[in-house]
């Protein structure tokens, strides 16, 4: 199937229109028309080759909401017209212990990324959701629950699940004290989801600028991470801190905030961190952990949870041809709180 989208052609140039082929349907494939695609900071990292594993051209986008337009002969779960979604993975081995547990993101062979991946059957580079169409095996297709506003739901597929998964892994519920470092796309979803689970939530932001936003999102307070006095007062006050900062940074100021056995889970920076002192780790039996997205079963659970609780991202809708300005604004943390591309704008772009 011929389709069209926007791709990065090298690390330094703006994204530009790109026509390419989606594979012919396999018996277990679903083809969809993409309606909306969220803009994740990982799209920007990938376009710029920040992680060193990008290929070109590359079509980013892994927060995808669409409508089924065709199904393969063996597809049982979906039919033409269904509203569906795809997140950060499109395949995994389906045979290892992790895949059997529904933790395909931890597949022993590595999951296949929606972009920046290699198709396990034909060896082609995968291409993401900044495009008109997508073909995906049905096991990696999510069902959009009735009642969830399709135009706002796309960011749940990455920002949502990446923050929901650690909240569930560390059993956050009523009475849990949760901190969220960085109020961006992931951070604002971490706040809404933790509030939805009943936690007491603190946003840790570099300045006071986002205080009213943090409270409006449901957080109980905002703590300015650049204010050493306020940080000292908050010592030992958290069970879980989710760190969404997208660049290398200091962890030392945050570790004393954890209570005994508390965990700081990194979901933001992929790569080296600044050196950290183990003193607060040893003395408080504190932990530093990491967490990648979430499994398919958990992603569906998160979508259903959001539909039940009416939790939706705060979105700014853009046209496909505004993507380069959106990237520039994202770099300046000037996003409140997720750009979503209206794919209907693509043919007009
Ligand atoms: P984003 O919307 O750009 O938000 C990042 C936030 O971090 C900003 O709003 C800002 O919050 C804070 N920040 C930005 N630059 C900073 C700096 N230099 N120092 C300290 N804080 C800074 O990004 P996002 O889409 O949420 O993504 C965040 C990171 O998560 C990216 O690196 C992305 O690649 C990664 N990610 C990981 C996974 C995973 O599976 N683990 C999944 C998706 C994304 P304040 O203004 O409040 O300080
Ligand atoms: Zn993402």
């Amino acid at each position: 199937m011929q389709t069209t989208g926007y791709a990065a052609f090298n690390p330094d140039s703006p994204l530009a229109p790109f026509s390419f082929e989606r594979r012919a349907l396999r018996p277990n494939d679903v083809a969809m028309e993409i309606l909306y695609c969220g803009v994740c900071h990982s799209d920007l990292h990938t376009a710029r080759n920040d992680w060193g594993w990008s290929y070109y051209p590359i079509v980013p986008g892994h927060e995808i909401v669409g409508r089924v337009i065709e199904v393969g002969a063996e597809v049982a779960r979906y039919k033409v017209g269904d509203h569906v979604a795809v997140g950060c993975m499109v395949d995994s081995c389906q045979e290892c212990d992790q895949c059997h547990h529904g933790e395909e993101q931890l597949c022993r062979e590595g999951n296949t990324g929606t972009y920046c991946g290699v198709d396990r059957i034909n060896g082609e580079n995968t291409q993401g959701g900044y495009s008109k169409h997508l073909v995906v095996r049905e096991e990696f297709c999510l069902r959009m629950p009735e009642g969830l506003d399709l135009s706002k739901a796309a960011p749940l597929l990455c920002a949502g699940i990446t923050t929901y998964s650690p909240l569930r892994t560390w059993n956050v519920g009523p009475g849990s004290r949760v901190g969220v470092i960085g109020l961006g796309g992931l951070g604002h979803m971490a706040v809404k989801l933790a509030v939805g689970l009943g936690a007491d939530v603190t946003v840790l932001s570099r300045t006071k600028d986002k205080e009213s936003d943090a409270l409006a999102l449901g957080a109980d307070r905002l703590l300015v991470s650049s204010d050493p006095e306020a940080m000292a007062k908050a010592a030992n006050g958290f069970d879980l801190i989710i760190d969404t900062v997208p660049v290398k940074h200091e962890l030392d100021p945050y570790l004393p905030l954890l209570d005994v056995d508390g965990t700081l889970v990194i979901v933001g920076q992929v790569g080296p961190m600044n050196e950290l002192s183990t003193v607060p780790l040893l003395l408080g039996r504190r932990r530093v952990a990491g967490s990648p997205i979430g499994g398919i079963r958990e992603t569906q659970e998160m979508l259903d949870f959001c539909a039940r609780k009416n939790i939706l991202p705060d979105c700014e809708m853009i046209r496909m041809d505004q993507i380069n300005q959106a990237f520039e604004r994202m770099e300046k943390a000037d996003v409140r709180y997720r750009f979503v591309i209206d794919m209907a704008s693509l043919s007009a772009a």
Side-chain angles (χ1 to χ4, degrees):
M1 175 197 301
Q2 191 66 24
T3 193
T4 177
Y6 261 54
F9 290 85
N10 59 62
D12 310 309
S13 310
L15 267 61
F18 175 53
S19 286
F20 61 106
E21 190 71 27
R22 291 289 188 192
R23 67 172 183 254
L25 256 67
R26 299 171 186 149
N28 61 341
D29 273 346
V30 170
M32 70 184 73
E33 177 195 4
I34 298 177
L35 302 174
Y36 302 101
C37 187
V39 178
C40 178
H41 208 114
S42 302
D43 301 348
L44 174 57
H45 284 308
T46 301
R48 304 265 162 88
N49 200 20
D50 289 345
W51 297 327
W53 57 60
S54 300
Y55 46 72
Y56 296 95
I58 188 146
V59 178
H62 58 202
E63 295 183 337
I64 300 165
V65 168
R67 185 191 307 115
V68 176
I69 54 169
E70 200 182 342
V71 294
E74 290 167 15
V75 169
R77 298 182 214 171
Y78 301 103
K79 58 177 194 318
V80 172
D82 286 351
H83 288 130
V84 290
V86 174
C88 304
M89 332 175 255
V90 288
D91 206 356
S92 70
C93 83
Q94 301 280 289
E95 283 173 3
C96 71
D97 55 339
Q98 296 303 323
C99 288
H100 281 161
H101 293 148
E103 304 245 58
E104 302 87 349
Q105 79 282 19
L106 302 173
C107 173
R108 300 283 178 188
E109 290 184 7
N111 70 66
T112 305
T114 303
Y115 58 80
C116 232
V118 175
D119 184 281
R120 300 177 106 83
I121 295 174
N122 65 18
E124 285 176 5
N125 291 336
T126 58
Q127 299 289 11
Y130 293 5
S131 59
K132 271 281 185 205
H133 303 97
L134 183 72
V135 174
V136 63
R137 62 181 292 182
E138 72 168 325
E139 292 88 344
F140 285 78
C141 199
L142 287 306
R143 182 173 297 283
M144 288 308 293
E146 293 262 333
L148 208 53
D149 182 344
L150 295 181
S151 70
K152 293 189 172 158
L156 298 177
L157 277 303
C158 176
I161 185 58
T162 301
T163 50
Y164 184 78
S165 186
L167 291 169
R168 298 286 285 142
T169 299
W170 278 275
N171 296 314
V172 165
S176 305
R177 299 160 298 168
V178 174
V180 176
I181 310 178
L183 196 60
L186 266 58
H188 97 293
M189 282 316 306
V191 170
K192 291 192 182 211
L193 292 164
V195 169
L197 289 165
D200 178 275
V201 180
T202 303
V203 169
L204 292 115
S205 192
R206 292 167 291 176
T207 66
K208 229 176 180 331
D209 294 355
K210 295 177 180 170
E211 186 168 43
S212 56
D213 284 8
L215 299 179
L217 291 165
D220 295 276
R221 63 197 71 76
L222 180 138
L223 177 54
V224 179
S225 52
S226 56
D227 176 349
E229 218 171 286
M231 291 287 276
K233 272 197 205 140
N236 304 308
F238 294 89
D239 303 303
L240 182 71
I241 298 178
I242 300 184
D243 180 349
T244 77
V245 175
V247 292
K248 190 173 174 183
H249 58 284
E250 304 285 346
L251 291 182
D252 282 349
Y254 300 106
L255 297 177
L257 301 183
L258 293 169
D259 205 348
V260 172
D261 285 330
T263 301
L264 181 144
V265 57
I266 296 165
V267 297
Q269 161 66 346
V270 178
M273 272 296 195
N274 288 340
E275 253 178 43
L276 66 85
S277 165
T278 64
V279 175
L281 291 183
L282 271 62
L283 297 188
R285 206 164 59 193
R286 301 173 172 106
R287 303 181 181 104
V288 175
S291 182
I293 49 173
I296 293 295
R297 191 166 59 213
E298 196 172 52
T299 306
Q300 188 67 58
E301 176 190 304
M302 179 273 311
L303 290 173
D304 296 342
F305 174 78
C306 289
R308 243 183 5 260
K309 296 262 184 181
N310 200 23
I311 293 174
L312 280 170
D314 287 12
C315 301
E316 180 176 337
M317 193 70 80
I318 60 166
R319 295 189 314 270
M320 187 70 256
D321 63 2
Q322 293 175 308
I323 186 62
N324 293 304
Q325 293 103 293
F327 274 180
E328 279 168 29
R329 282 182 52 196
M330 181 175 256
E331 244 170 357
K332 291 186 256 165
D334 174 25
V335 194
R336 304 217 171 172
Y337 278 90
R338 199 61 143 183
F339 292 118
V340 172
I341 306 162
D342 180 358
M343 274 313 154
S345 68
L346 187 54
S347 43

